[in-house]
Amino acid sequence: MATKRTSMDVTVLETNPSTTTTLESFLGGLAVSSSIVLWITSCASPFFLYLSLKNGYHYVSASIILSFIFAYLPWEHGPLSLALQTFLNRYHALYYHGVSIVFEGGHVPSATTKHRQTFFAIHPHGAFCIGWALLYHNPAMRGIRFCFAPILFASPFFRIFTRAVNCPGSAARPSMNAYLRKGENVALPPGGFEEATLTSTKIDRVFIKCRYGFVRLCLKYGVDIRPVYAFGEGKLFNNIQGCWNLRLALNRFGVPTIVTWGRWFFPFLPKNGVKLYIVVGRPLTLPKIENPTKEDVAIWHTKYINELKRIYDEHKRDAYGQEEGKLAKLEVW
């Protein structure tokens, strides 16, 4: 039986679909679809550059090269960044059938001046990390370094976009070490490509049993871990199921094997009749062990999984309703 939530929980965002206008929903769809298309085209930018050079499209080539340069130049947030942040935070959540972001125990990062360094581990990855994105541009998470695949972080268009919105970073191990060494708070979906591959509209799954690296890092630097679960993430996109051994094996070589689509008229647009309920768990306080043993890592990894399961079980009825929540189970791979 689920434990009753504490009254100390703080909801920093809650949208009501009954008060959302058609225009607001359209603008929300524009926000999320533009982000996803930018994500995909940014990864393909080297290919686009090659084609434009080969076919003599010099203006296109120059534009892509300039975007690469701009993406790596130092610059600060200005009026355009503020306008983009405001637009995303105002409209993105209005596309869905309700969005809630809940911080357990009242531990809201932006409202806490004194707190331990924290690693936010976000599940599930889903097809396009929508829960991650909603947290990324929420003011409560401002200044936290959100990390993602190195190839995507290196690509120009998405790098410019994410720099304008908040504080992006690379999920490469040397980069993660550097961020934590400097005392930064970071956020990352540790399930990676594998968790994306396992996405299902029927079953909630996380890929975490063999993900020890982030726990080892947090022990090394004495960093708290806050498990985050985005209920409804898996329902946003269809994904072909099965052939898990082959697909997960390809994931280990950095090959995405998700076959996904959302709305019938535009596959990159998520389904809008889905309620998203994002829970940021209370901190799991880890000791600082400069050279943690396998046993140390295994102990705290198990505690992390148990905490993630607790969050799921305690909040699933609030997220899915009593009937669906009663039957909902979390598969841990």
Side-chain angles (χ1 to χ4, degrees), residues 103 106-120 140-144 183-186 222-226 283 285:
F103 286 83
H107 299 285
V108 180
S110 63
T112 307
T113 55
K114 293 183 179 180
H115 60 85
R116 281 170 53 94
Q117 187 181 1
T118 304
F119 186 108
F120 296 84
M141 302 291 279
R142 190 78 72 226
I144 292 169
E184 295 187 23
N185 299 309
V186 300
V223 177
D224 286 359
I225 303 178
R226 296 190 69 172
T285 301

Side-chain angles (χ1 to χ4, degrees), residues 1-5 310-317 325:
M1 185 174 179
T3 305
K4 187 175 180 180
R5 281 171 45 199
R310 177 197 65 77
I311 291 169
Y312 185 89
D313 289 335
E314 289 187 10
H315 293 271
K316 62 184 182 180
R317 288 176 175 81

Side-chain angles (χ1 to χ4, degrees), residues 257-271:
T257 57
I258 189 168
V259 184
T260 186
W261 67 97
R263 306 291 294 275
W264 65 269
F265 58 88
F266 188 53
F268 295 135
L269 188 63
K271 301 173 186 178

Side-chain angles (χ1 to χ4, degrees), residues 161-238:
F161 172 73
T162 52
R163 283 185 64 189
V165 175
N166 196 353
C167 182
S170 169
R173 184 173 298 179
S175 299
M176 296 295 295
N177 265 288
Y179 303 146
L180 293 175
R181 191 183 304 115
K182 290 189 292 185
E184 295 187 23
N185 299 309
V186 300
L188 174 77
F193 282 162
E194 289 85 351
E195 201 166 87
T197 296
L198 295 170
T199 294
S200 169
T201 57
K202 305 293 185 183
I203 304 168
D204 288 329
R205 299 184 178 117
V206 294
F207 187 88
I208 197 64
K209 282 186 177 179
C210 62
R211 289 288 200 257
Y212 294 98
F214 74 102
V215 176
R216 184 178 293 105
L217 281 175
C218 289
L219 283 169
K220 180 179 180 180
Y221 295 103
V223 177
D224 286 359
I225 303 178
R226 296 190 69 172
V228 181
Y229 196 86
F231 292 90
E233 177 83 45
K235 298 181 179 183
L236 294 171
F237 289 91
N238 298 297

